[in-house]
Amino acid sequence: MSSDGLSVSVDRSAIQQLCSVSPADVEPADQLSFCRNVFIPLTTACRYTCTYCTYFDPPGQASLLSPQEIREIVREGADAGCTEALFTFGDDPDDRYTAIHDQLAEWGHDSIHSYLREACEIALDEGLLPHANPGDQTREQMEAVTDYNASMGVMLETTADVTAHSGKRTKTPEKRIQTIRTAGELGVPFTTGILVGIGEDWEDRAESLLVIRKLHEQFGHIQEVIIQPVVENERWRGGEPTLETLRRTVAMARHALPEEVSLQVPPNLAPAEEVVDCGIDDLGGVSPVTDDHINPEYAWPALKRLEEIADDAGVPLQERLPVYERYLPSGLRSDGFSGTPADRPASGERWISARIRDELEADTEAGRRYRSVIGCGT
Ligand code: SF4
């Protein structure tokens, strides 16, 4: 059942129409991409308690990586040729997490976003581009870190009110939508997506995809959309979506979203090879170094496996940066893309901050690594 009172309204007939889309209605992509990353679980504290999630730890048990631990992870990633520092969170730890807040205070920070800024700076200094997923964010929180992130993200998951989100601390679709809108207003290249199988129905899936499309039409900032199936784990025994459900959802996403918005299925959570013909063109962030801390029971496939998926589909596999190329200034692009204007987000802000641009253009090992991924020379 869709949530009432969403700030982005979608026409009922468009929802019905999208529900009728099947894999036969879409074309496969002509290439697949991926990004080499390291996964950095900055904190496992979270104000919410989604019933399918094994990432969060309760107060007293939650972890907070130290600056030194962050530095070690990103160094290892840079040495392994990665380009992305993927910072994951729970959602803004509330005041039940006294130990986390005490530790942050000891390190000179009054909020997790203040600490995220320091963490991003460590990543940039060590030669990785930050992509942070801090959950719901106010404008003030997001503004505190945008200039140190190449891109950011949050999963919309669903526009429906589902029991998997309920309880004392309820994650609401409206806050997620507001976060995605704020990213658009601030000119932040953004990744979002839907979670399939948490109690939503087909109309909810269609509505969620159409809400994402509307936000992209307004701001041009959605770089990719992830279609993620929920997976069974020690907290979730509610079942997983069937392959048929996944294929139909991916096809609906491809049909709903403009061509320039990439479509991703995480290959460690879903049989990506079974949905390539439904329109995915990205295999996500793949880490040669760290685990997937959100889904630790589901190991990343080796990069070799990604090559096999692309080979089987008969398409090239292309590495990419955490920020998609069309958001880069013209001197840092090789694709000739003429869709979303790279230098003119709807907000009038720049897509890429001066700090990120400097890192991309720098005559350093990291700068050369970034530019070789783009394919615009060293
Ligand atoms: S899914 Fe995200 S918001 Fe929900 S409990 Fe897990 S970390 Fe928190």
Side-chain angles (χ1 to χ4, degrees), residues 126-369:
E126 294 292 340
L128 293 183
L129 298 170
H131 171 104
N133 290 262
D136 296 342
Q137 295 178 81
T138 63
R139 187 183 178 100
E140 187 184 13
Q141 287 172 325
M142 201 183 285
E143 272 180 323
V145 293
T146 49
D147 58 334
Y148 280 12
N149 275 270
S151 58
M152 298 184 75
V154 73
M155 292 287 281
L156 170 59
E157 297 192 352
T158 180
T159 51
D161 285 325
V162 291
T163 53
H165 287 163
S166 62
K168 274 191 191 161
R169 291 168 291 278
T170 303
K171 184 157 82 177
T172 67
E174 190 46 51
K175 277 192 186 154
R176 299 267 150 163
I177 288 170
Q178 187 53 45
T179 299
I180 300 168
R181 177 183 288 108
T182 299
E185 289 168 355
L186 293 175
V188 179
F190 209 71
T191 295
T192 187
I194 65 170
L195 189 54
V196 183
I198 55 172
E200 81 291 354
D201 63 21
W202 283 105
E203 292 199 0
D204 299 325
R205 289 170 197 146
E207 181 182 64
S208 303
L209 292 165
L210 291 169
V211 163
I212 293 169
R213 180 172 82 184
K214 271 203 153 183
L215 289 163
H216 179 70
E217 284 170 351
Q218 191 174 359
F219 298 107
H221 66 312
I222 304 297
Q223 57 172 7
E224 61 178 346
V225 169
I226 301 171
I227 307 298
Q228 181 175 331
V230 71
V231 289
E232 294 244 335
N233 58 46
E234 64 193 40
R235 286 185 178 144
W236 178 256
R237 292 286 177 241
E240 301 179 359
T242 63
L243 178 58
E244 189 190 354
T245 297
L246 187 65
R247 285 176 54 78
R248 186 175 154 199
T249 309
V250 171
M252 284 166 58
R254 187 64 286 163
H255 194 270
L257 298 166
E259 191 184 351
E260 75 266 18
V261 176
S262 270
L263 192 58
Q264 179 199 126
V265 165
N268 64 325
L269 301 176
E273 64 279 9
E274 304 282 358
V275 296
V276 170
D277 64 318
C278 303
I280 62 165
D281 61 356
D282 188 76
L283 297 171
V286 178
S287 181
V289 177
T290 54
D291 292 335
D292 176 352
H293 293 274
I294 304 278
N295 299 283
E297 295 161 53
Y298 295 82
W300 290 114
L303 294 179
K304 180 89 187 117
R305 179 71 194 120
L306 302 191
E307 289 165 5
E308 287 168 4
I309 292 171
D311 279 353
D312 288 348
V315 295
L317 181 67
Q318 177 70 44
E319 186 175 349
R320 63 167 173 81
L321 296 179
V323 53
Y324 278 67
E325 198 168 322
R326 69 179 181 280
Y327 294 103
L328 300 180
S330 51
L332 285 164
R333 296 169 61 176
S334 65
D335 61 354
F337 184 84
S338 59
T340 307
D343 299 319
R344 285 182 286 120
S347 61
E349 306 274 343
R350 287 184 302 184
W351 293 119
I352 293 295
S353 70
R355 173 69 198 260
I356 298 295
R357 184 174 185 154
D358 285 350
E359 296 292 336
L360 291 166
E361 292 177 339
D363 186 19
T364 57
E365 189 187 321
R368 287 189 285 276
R369 180 163 14 98

Side-chain angles (χ1 to χ4, degrees), residues 68-107:
Q68 186 54 33
E69 288 172 314
I70 294 165
R71 195 172 293 281
E72 283 165 14
I73 296 171
V74 291
R75 250 183 213 166
E76 200 182 346
D79 288 347
C82 298
T83 60
E84 175 186 34
L86 172 62
F87 287 103
T88 60
F89 287 67
D91 204 299
D92 199 9
D94 55 21
D95 45 15
R96 295 170 304 141
Y97 287 92
T98 49
I100 296 290
H101 289 287
D102 288 350
Q103 184 62 75
L104 286 171
E106 199 178 301
W107 291 338

Side-chain angles (χ1 to χ4, degrees), residues 46 48-50 52-53 55-56 89-91 157 171 176:
C46 181
Y48 300 129
T49 52
C50 305
Y52 47 81
C53 174
Y55 181 81
F56 74 89
F89 287 67
D91 204 299
E157 297 192 352
K171 184 157 82 177
R176 299 267 150 163

